[in-house]
Amino acid sequence: MPDIIQLLPDHVANQIAAGEVVQRPASVVKELMENAIDAEATSIKLIVREAGKTLIQVIDNGKGMSQTDARLSFERHATSKIKKAEDLFNLHTKGFRGEALASIAAIAHVELRTKQEDQQLGSCLKIEGSTLISQENISTPTGTSVAVKNLFYNIPARRNFLKSNTIETRHIVNEFQRVALAHPNIAFSFYHNENEVYNLVTGNLRQRIVAILGKKTNEKLVPIHEITDLVEIKGFVTKPEFAKRKRDEQFFFVNDRFIKNSYLNHAVSSAFENLLSGGHFPTYFLYLTVPTNSIDINIHPTKTEIKFDDEKTLYAILRSAVKHSLGQYNVGPILDFDRDATLDTPYNLKDKSLPNPRVTVNQDFNPFKSEEQKSIQFPYHREKNREWESLYNGLDSTGIDFKSETVDPGLFSEEKENSKTYQVHKKYIVSSIKSGIVYINQQLAHQRILYEEFLSNITVKDAMSQQLLFPLELSFNKTDIVLIKEIKTELESIGFLFGEISNDTLVVMGMPVNIIESQIPSIIEHLLEDIKNDIPNTSFSQVDIMAKSLSKSLAIKTGTKLDLKEQEDIVNKLFLCKQPDSSPFGKRTFITVNIDEIDKKFNN
Ligand code: ADP
Ligand code: MG
């Protein structure tokens, strides 16, 4: 048998390695920004086009590269950051694998421009799919610019696997935020499709957090500082009443590197024990500094996971530090009794009464009851000829039969004599139909009605809007603002009107007619969450997610008393829907009980 084993050519090996390093445009952003930081840049600019699918460029004012280094930097395992294996245990740089540029150049069109301070001319290299196309001397500022174009151009399968621009942009923003949060002493800017997303000046940690997450964040931050032999912990948690339903504002940095660690996350969450209501998560920005030889960064190719020598002790210290701060700032219960005494700081909060976490959910919200609005207002253009109508065939001309004359009025003294519907247990609307009785779940039925209303408004673009007397200014973090900008047109088509959208505020000038003003913040927040949470399921369009989310937020809830007019509105409008029998989330909106079944019960 002949020998069959061959060494893979470099460009193939690089493509394979690229699969590990570059999962999506955001991975490129991370690697390039980290290289700029390692090059000691004080100002870093990120330029992205079409969610990074066509262009990702990072420009820094760091130390640049010599001509030879510029060429070498694209070789695999070419790094200036470590020389021997032991260096791995004394890392002060972000990179060390020498793989990023080689991997990126294997799967994109790359243009590198770089110059060192003492050089007259810099170098410009063009590389496509690991092949050097050109290298020339150019005049360029000191520092480095790497432009990555047409990512995955030679791996169509990977390119097709990329998610929508919204989702890929979100990943990029997340990556940018992590790097920027880790380095408040470096100025960063970020442009997407020519729009400035961030322009962050240097400052302290608090200023950087506020610059990224919005000015309202400032008042929410509780500082943390703890120094022990093992670790120094700095940073902030937010007060429990500002806990979120999402986990997207939880940041751990270890030696200025963003990491994910569920064990440490648990330590923080447990410090918030009993302070958060179910489904809410603490927000935190925690910076741990540990001796470089006490961690192993090498266990994950993208380096977001690291191993600590003494994780258990770290857990205890972290938990205590967070509890301590929450206590000191009078936002949490007193410390554990079993905590390490060496960590104790004397203070006495034992007898103070502590505020309960505040979660505001308006259970009684009823759009029917709003001042402006007495019934659901939306245009129906559809014809009444649907299958379900057979339910009512043969009844009087209004469509629904009523047999109130057969009911003892005393039992329903609140209802008018002529009533066609009854509400039971503030939950179901009951009505007599030809074949028996129909029970309609008011909440689910209203969800269906609103869902179809929103969908038809979004498509026909003739939604009714009511102007707010005073424009409402709402604060959001930048990620949310980016998202809001993307769904702005859809929101407008269902009746929202917006004024200025800045980096961290949104001005609402008008809203759909069936909303009350106080609900706007929570409606928008839920909407953003629902859109974000839908990441794994891209088969649904954004419009559909929005319609679902809004219908859920706005539908009248179980427990809301409805007057006759409101009950009738629901019944009539439900059965004008395209799909009246299920809610937008697939639950049954009504059931019918046949008169025969009722008869049977009496004949038993
Ligand atoms: P690593 O960062 O792991 O060393 P990379 O492939 O990311 O590997 O980069 C290879 C080398 O190229 C780096 O070690 C560094 O010497 C050089 N380099 C990359 N980007 C820059 C930059 N922006 N400024 C200066 N040098 C850079
Ligand atoms: Mg690198």
Side-chain angles (χ1 to χ4, degrees):
M1 290 279 274
D3 296 335
I4 51 172
I5 297 179
Q6 301 177 10
L7 278 178
L8 287 174
D10 267 358
H11 70 275
V12 179
N14 284 341
Q15 264 198 19
I16 293 170
E20 276 206 337
V21 181
V22 185
Q23 278 111 31
R24 52 174 15 121
S27 329
V28 176
V29 168
K30 173 176 192 279
E31 293 296 337
L32 297 185
M33 288 181 67
E34 290 191 344
N35 278 347
I37 291 165
D38 285 345
E40 291 161 18
T42 56
S43 173
I44 298 173
K45 182 172 178 178
L46 167 66
I47 301 172
V48 170
R49 251 184 247 142
E50 285 183 68
K53 293 172 184 173
T54 49
L55 175 75
I56 300 160
Q57 183 173 14
V58 171
I59 304 169
D60 69 54
N61 64 352
K63 60 188 178 199
M65 282 179 263
S66 71
Q67 264 189 21
T68 320
D69 281 354
R71 176 68 197 93
L72 262 180
S73 67
F74 289 100
E75 295 295 327
R76 204 143 56 99
H77 307 308
T79 179
S80 55
K81 298 168 194 174
I82 56 170
K83 293 199 168 67
K84 45 191 192 309
E86 297 88 82
D87 294 346
L88 277 174
F89 300 99
N90 188 23
L91 275 175
H92 294 282
T93 52
K94 308 269 168 198
F96 56 85
R97 294 170 152 256
E99 269 179 341
L101 288 185
S103 299
I104 294 166
I107 50 168
H109 298 160
V110 177
E111 186 178 308
L112 167 78
R113 291 161 173 266
T114 188
K115 185 180 92 66
Q116 294 176 313
E117 192 162 21
D118 56 4
Q119 291 177 321
Q120 277 284 307
L121 283 179
S123 327
C124 175
L125 271 84
K126 288 186 185 154
I127 298 188
E128 296 184 357
S130 297
T131 311
L132 179 68
I133 304 291
S134 67
Q135 173 160 15
E136 54 196 41
N137 292 335
I138 51 155
S139 109
T140 180
T142 299
T144 304
S145 153
V146 183
V148 177
K149 296 177 191 162
N150 309 322
L151 189 66
F152 297 131
Y153 79 100
N154 52 357
I155 318 182
R158 292 298 293 272
R159 205 175 161 84
N160 296 338
F161 195 67
L162 290 176
K163 298 280 164 61
S164 69
N165 282 4
T166 315
I167 291 169
E168 294 301 342
T169 306
R170 198 178 315 139
H171 283 288
I172 291 174
V173 173
N174 287 345
E175 213 58 77
F176 176 89
Q177 288 185 343
R178 292 165 182 177
V179 177
L181 281 170
H183 297 276
N185 54 341
I186 298 177
F188 290 93
S189 58
F190 173 12
Y191 295 82
H192 186 216
N193 294 339
E194 260 87 81
N195 298 317
E196 181 187 285
V197 184
Y198 283 106
N199 191 352
L200 307 171
V201 296
T202 58
N204 61 27
L205 195 52
R206 184 187 275 269
Q207 289 164 330
R208 178 56 54 93
I209 293 172
V210 170
I212 290 180
L213 294 163
K215 47 180 182 271
K216 286 251 167 92
T217 316
N218 198 18
E219 64 190 90
K220 304 178 186 173
L221 299 176
V222 179
I224 303 229
H225 197 187
E226 187 86 59
I227 304 180
T228 69
D229 287 347
L230 195 72
V231 61
E232 174 175 3
I233 302 171
K234 275 191 305 198
F236 300 90
V237 295
T238 60
K239 295 171 189 166
E241 65 260 39
F242 298 112
K244 297 202 153 196
R245 292 209 307 160
K246 48 193 172 177
R247 299 169 199 259
D248 63 351
E249 287 178 9
Q250 301 187 327
F251 297 90
F252 275 123
F253 300 91
V254 173
N255 297 356
D256 296 338
R257 190 189 294 279
F258 172 83
I259 61 142
K260 291 180 186 155
N261 188 309
S262 50
Y263 188 62
L264 294 187
N265 174 59
H266 191 271
V268 179
S269 302
S270 74
F272 275 83
E273 223 169 23
N274 302 327
L275 288 173
L276 301 179
S277 52
H280 283 70
F281 305 101
T283 295
Y284 55 80
F285 311 86
L286 293 169
Y287 296 71
L288 282 58
T289 310
V290 296
T292 47
N293 61 3
S294 73
I295 48 170
D296 181 357
I297 301 172
N298 208 7
I299 62 171
H300 195 272
T302 54
K303 299 173 292 232
T304 51
E305 285 166 24
I306 65 174
K307 227 165 62 195
F308 297 94
D309 278 357
D310 193 353
E311 221 170 25
K312 280 212 174 102
T313 314
L314 202 56
Y315 181 101
I317 296 172
L318 184 59
R319 182 166 182 266
S320 294
V322 175
K323 278 205 162 201
H324 182 169
S325 287
L326 288 175
Q328 259 190 341
Y329 285 83
N330 195 11
V331 287
I334 52 150
L335 301 174
D336 279 347
F337 294 108
D338 59 353
R339 71 194 291 273
D340 183 344
T342 57
L343 298 168
D344 261 322
T345 308
Y347 58 89
N348 188 3
L349 286 165
K350 214 179 263 182
D351 303 316
K352 287 200 179 157
S353 68
L354 299 157
N356 283 326
R358 202 159 36 85
V359 182
T360 47
V361 179
N362 183 356
Q363 299 284 4
D364 294 322
F365 171 60
N366 177 357
F368 294 127
K369 292 270 156 59
S370 83
E371 290 299 315
E372 301 83 354
Q373 182 69 19
K374 272 292 166 203
S375 67
I376 321 171
Q377 289 179 9
F378 48 95
Y380 278 100
H381 312 296
R382 281 188 286 279
E383 305 265 308
K384 281 181 76 183
N385 66 353
R386 310 198 184 282
E387 248 177 76
W388 55 264
E389 277 194 337
S390 57
L391 286 174
Y392 293 112
N393 278 350
L395 300 178
D396 69 5
S397 57
T398 55
I400 300 172
D401 178 26
F402 56 93
K403 297 182 176 165
S404 51
E405 64 272 27
T406 65
V407 175
D408 173 4
L411 282 176
F412 299 97
S413 49
E414 273 176 46
E415 311 288 357
K416 285 188 218 124
E417 259 214 321
N418 259 2
S419 78
K420 308 169 185 174
T421 59
Y422 305 98
Q423 189 190 25
V424 294
H425 289 257
K426 294 185 187 155
K427 192 172 182 182
Y428 299 111
I429 301 168
V430 185
S431 171
S432 176
I433 52 172
K434 185 188 162 204
S435 63
I437 298 173
V438 60
Y439 293 85
I440 297 168
N441 181 311
Q442 63 187 48
Q443 180 171 343
L444 299 178
H446 196 210
Q447 282 181 1
R448 161 58 59 184
I449 294 166
L450 291 174
Y451 172 70
E452 293 201 7
E453 175 205 356
F454 286 128
L455 279 186
S456 89
N457 279 344
I458 288 169
T459 32
V460 300
K461 299 202 188 307
D462 65 351
M464 284 186 267
S465 184
Q466 48 178 326
Q467 201 101 21
L468 295 180
L469 211 48
F470 302 103
L472 191 66
E473 188 178 311
L474 303 174
S475 287
F476 290 96
N477 68 39
K478 305 248 171 137
T479 327
D480 288 347
I481 290 286
V482 170
L483 198 53
I484 287 169
K485 283 186 179 159
E486 282 179 35
I487 57 173
K488 182 169 171 263
T489 326
E490 282 87 0
L491 287 172
E492 284 170 346
S493 67
I494 57 170
F496 279 101
L497 292 175
F498 298 112
E500 197 200 341
I501 305 181
S502 77
N503 271 335
D504 56 6
T505 53
L506 165 74
V507 176
V508 183
M509 319 274 290
M511 60 190 185
V513 283
N514 45 358
I515 288 181
I516 54 173
E517 187 174 338
S518 61
Q519 290 297 112
I520 293 177
S522 80
I523 288 168
I524 296 182
E525 198 185 311
H526 285 155
L527 178 62
L528 295 175
E529 266 163 54
D530 286 340
I531 292 177
K532 287 182 195 169
N533 289 338
D534 203 65
I535 293 173
N537 193 350
T538 46
S539 58
F540 283 114
S541 72
Q542 204 132 299
V543 166
D544 191 68
I545 300 165
M546 281 176 55
K548 277 191 179 144
S549 173
L550 291 168
S551 69
K552 194 169 64 190
S553 302
L554 291 173
I556 50 149
K557 305 287 183 286
T558 292
T560 311
K561 189 161 170 14
L562 304 176
D563 67 24
L564 258 185
K565 169 91 178 66
E566 294 162 351
Q567 295 169 31
E568 281 165 17
D569 254 348
I570 291 199
V571 177
N572 293 334
K573 283 165 180 169
L574 176 67
F575 291 110
L576 277 170
C577 285
K578 280 191 184 149
Q579 225 181 300
D581 52 350
S582 69
S583 81
F585 305 93
K587 293 196 177 144
R588 283 172 88 155
T589 50
F590 68 87
I591 53 164
T592 54
V593 179
N594 215 294
I595 197 76
D596 299 341
E597 290 169 52
I598 301 173
D599 288 346
K600 253 190 233 153
K601 290 207 188 270
F602 283 102
N603 292 334
N604 261 342

